[in-house]
Amino acid sequence: GGVPPAIPGVSWDKSYYYSYASSYRYLQPEDTYATCRGPMFTDCYDRWDVTTGSSLGITGMTVIVPKKPAPGNPWVFRADRVSQGAAPVDLALLARGYYIVAAPVTAQAGPLSEQWDEIYRQLTSLGFSGKPVLEGMGAGGGEAYYWAIAHPDQVSCIYAENPVLRSLRAKGPLTDSLGPLAKGGVPVLHVCGSLDP
């Protein structure tokens, strides 16, 4: 079941996205607890990956679909890959009706702006919100910032975990280029581990 995004000329591989966290249930007849993990015990979402056929780690766009999209079809534009183990923030946003979309990884030198721009164009033409959340972890945080700086009027906010504020696409430090985000009033939330250097 499920329907992938209606993007022409794209073939999709379907899988599922759910938390790997364990929950525990008391089994009264045995007077013990059972560890429960997997899609039978937690929310499970349809995951669609663009088929690449690559054995070299080249990945296409990923779209994870909420069970009930929120009004306006809000979405998260991730600057890094979606791992198999679901991130708590993504699960919380999916539960609130957000789509999760990850940009493709097709170049050794890092993200390609043209691909990101094309994904944005395709999804907004399908009725997705014109102002996605930009999200990135580590080095992906810098890549999210790079796209947001270039498109401040097309970003609702930026969420980054332990972001490295550098981009392979930028000619200089991103910290010298934050003016468009400040001028556009783009909210920013960083979650940083106190032991992360």
Side-chain angles (χ1 to χ4, degrees), residues 5-80:
I7 299 174
V10 172
S11 62
W12 300 90
D13 292 324
K14 183 181 180 189
S15 61
Y16 299 94
Y17 188 72
Y18 52 87
S19 173
Y20 285 179
S22 297
S23 61
Y24 303 93
R25 294 193 180 178
Y26 180 68
L27 305 176
Q28 190 169 6
E30 292 86 1
D31 190 31
T32 190
Y33 284 86
T35 304
C36 303
R37 184 181 314 135
M40 190 170 180
F41 304 101
T42 186
D43 285 330
C44 182
Y45 300 93
D46 289 346
R47 174 182 173 152
W48 299 94
D49 291 279
V50 171
T51 306
T52 63
S54 169
S55 61
L56 302 174
I58 294 173
T59 60
M61 173 176 48
T62 297
V63 178
I64 303 171
V65 181
K67 293 183 184 307
K68 182 179 179 189
N73 292 320
W75 56 296
V76 175
F77 200 176
R78 285 188 60 139
D80 46 6

Side-chain angles (χ1 to χ4, degrees), residues 100-134:
I100 308 296
V101 179
V105 178
T106 61
Q108 185 74 19
L112 300 176
S113 296
E114 300 80 19
Q115 289 178 326
W116 285 37
D117 295 344
E118 180 61 15
I119 288 171
Y120 177 86
R121 187 197 64 72
Q122 288 173 330
L123 293 179
T124 55
S125 73
L126 292 173
F128 282 56
S129 168
K131 288 191 158 199
V133 173
L134 266 287

Side-chain angles (χ1 to χ4, degrees), residues 80 87-90 93 134-142 145 158-165 187-197:
D80 46 6
V89 71
D90 288 342
L93 290 167
L134 266 287
E135 177 184 326
M137 287 32 165
Y145 264 89
I158 300 172
Y159 171 79
E161 291 185 17
N162 294 321
V164 177
L165 292 180
V188 172
L189 174 62
H190 287 185
V191 176
C192 299
S194 61
L195 298 179
D196 191 309

Side-chain angles (χ1 to χ4, degrees), residues 146 149 165-177:
Y146 180 85
I149 289 166
L165 292 180
R166 293 190 297 267
S167 170
L168 295 170
R169 298 178 281 177
K171 293 186 168 94
L174 292 177
T175 51
D176 294 343
S177 307

